[in-house]
Amino acid sequence: MSATTDPAGTPAAPVVTRFAPSPTGFLHLGGARTALFNLLYARHHGGKFLLRIEDTDRARSTQPAIEAILSGMRWLGLDWDGDEVYQSTRADRHAAVAHAMVEAGAAYRCYMTAAEIDAMRAEAQAKKQPLRIRSPWRDKTNDDPAASYVVRLKAPTEGATTIDDRVQGSVTVQNAELDDLVLLRSDGTPTYMLAVVVDDHDMGVTHIIRGDDHLNNAFRQLPIIRAMDAIEGNWPDPVYAHIPLIHGSDGAKLSKRHGAVGIEAYRDELGILPEALDNYLLRLGWGHGDAEIISRAQAIEWFDLAHVGKSPSRFDLKKLENLNGHYIRAADDARLADLVAATLGLDAGDPRRALIARAMPALKPRAANVNDLADGAGFLLAARPLSIADDAAPLLAGDARGTLTRVHAALDALDEWDTETLEEAVRQVAEALGLKLGQVAQPLRVALTGRRTSPGIFDVLVLLGRDESLARIADQTAAQGKDQDR
Ligand code: GLU
């Protein structure tokens, strides 16, 4: 049966895509991108995006890993339709399909012993050939009802199988290269290869978009699909799109040694916003002209498989941080303040949250991530007397403290405390002392923040307020008095 697309590539049937992670670790960048592409493709075509947890490997699938995947997807706004399907709950159905295939002669009970398979493997090794199991039981039955068996696919032996992959193009494999893979193990449990096919069919999946490490599997899965189509009908070939994997900056497949691969590290440790990571992952392997900043709505409108690149893309943390800086500047201040408050460990009712929110417009321009925002907000919460950063201390040397005494007096005399009034007052002090504005602003910045860099100094004065600002300046002029007493 032909794939469910017309020649123009427009799906004829309602599109159903799925993301099918194996919960043996966390949600990693590659998985998140696969899920995103599936979601965008489905939404673009007004179809459905489903989630299946492939937890058949009970020993390796853990509940924390499942939760990490679900929460990672929710964080990234990769909202799936309906309830997630747990593959492990469907073992009876998988077995039923295998038995139907045996009934119809598309699969068979294989009674080969482990020793016989070992011998076949040794022979293949001796001939330097890959092991391709062709069982003597393909065309005969065993009358012993107690004998242990596995169910194998009766794979086609002649001809070739071609997949018109929407990313890889047309790929052909000679059927002689495919072996009679196991569908049911001797304990009656389904293999992964069978479970995937049956679940995709039963979930009505029309388009399989996944990493190209699964392309070989497609050639082993299609014969199962086609056998079932011959038996039952209505098992159409899915459309396949195997997307290249993400590589690290050195061109090797992305792995832990390139840094964080789990998306929660981007959220919890690197302070990345979900919309920035989505946008970055979208651009990693897919493009629309020169567009870099692409909203979810725009991505849904534009996304197609034709513009998914064929070669692996390289992960670049700097680019991600640049995009993140953009999204930070665009983000709502109260939302960012909540993220900063969480980073700094402030309680929900802490009044300093409001102060952080007010500071956000001044903190945003220089931040590439939430940690930068939290770091920049640090001076607001610092206790007096401020500890002065080592590289900032020299800026309080020499005449600086005398300058601060003059600034203190000028500011103390002000009736208003807004940026214009403050700027005017500080300018006047600079003029009176024959200094440039910067020569006054620098020690003032250090006195107020303890740092060489901060948001604009007049914003800092307004955010700290009159009393706190004057007290911090006085702390430094008093420190000068102490120095002189010595
Ligand atoms: N469970 C497989 C994985 O996590 C994906 C299977 C598929 O997409 O067909 O790699």
Side-chain angles (χ1 to χ4, degrees), residues 398 401-402 405 477-486:
R401 286 183 160 130
T405 306
T477 54
Q480 177 191 37
K482 258 189 263 152
D483 287 348
Q484 282 173 348
D485 290 347
R486 263 190 257 147

Side-chain angles (χ1 to χ4, degrees), residues 334-389:
R335 172 187 168 208
L336 292 176
D338 281 346
L339 293 173
V340 168
T343 304
L344 296 173
L346 302 189
D347 293 339
D350 195 308
R352 292 174 297 178
R353 282 171 170 256
L355 177 60
I356 294 172
R358 263 189 287 129
M360 229 14 101
L363 296 171
K364 275 161 135 182
R366 46 180 69 238
N369 54 54
V370 176
N371 299 332
D372 288 350
L373 291 174
D375 185 55
F379 78 88
L380 291 167
L381 314 184
R384 292 181 37 226
L386 253 49
S387 66
I388 307 293

Side-chain angles (χ1 to χ4, degrees), residues 18-24 28 31 34 38 52-55 87 192 196-197 200 208-211 213-214 217 221 240 242:
R18 53 50 162 194
F19 175 49
S22 305
T24 52
H28 55 84
T34 298
N38 276 285
R52 179 172 74 239
I53 304 292
E54 301 212 311
D55 56 346
Q87 191 161 63
Y192 162 75
V196 168
V197 163
D200 282 338
I208 294 181
I209 305 169
R210 61 187 174 191
D213 50 338
H214 285 284
N217 288 342
Q221 291 164 356
Y240 287 107
H242 287 95

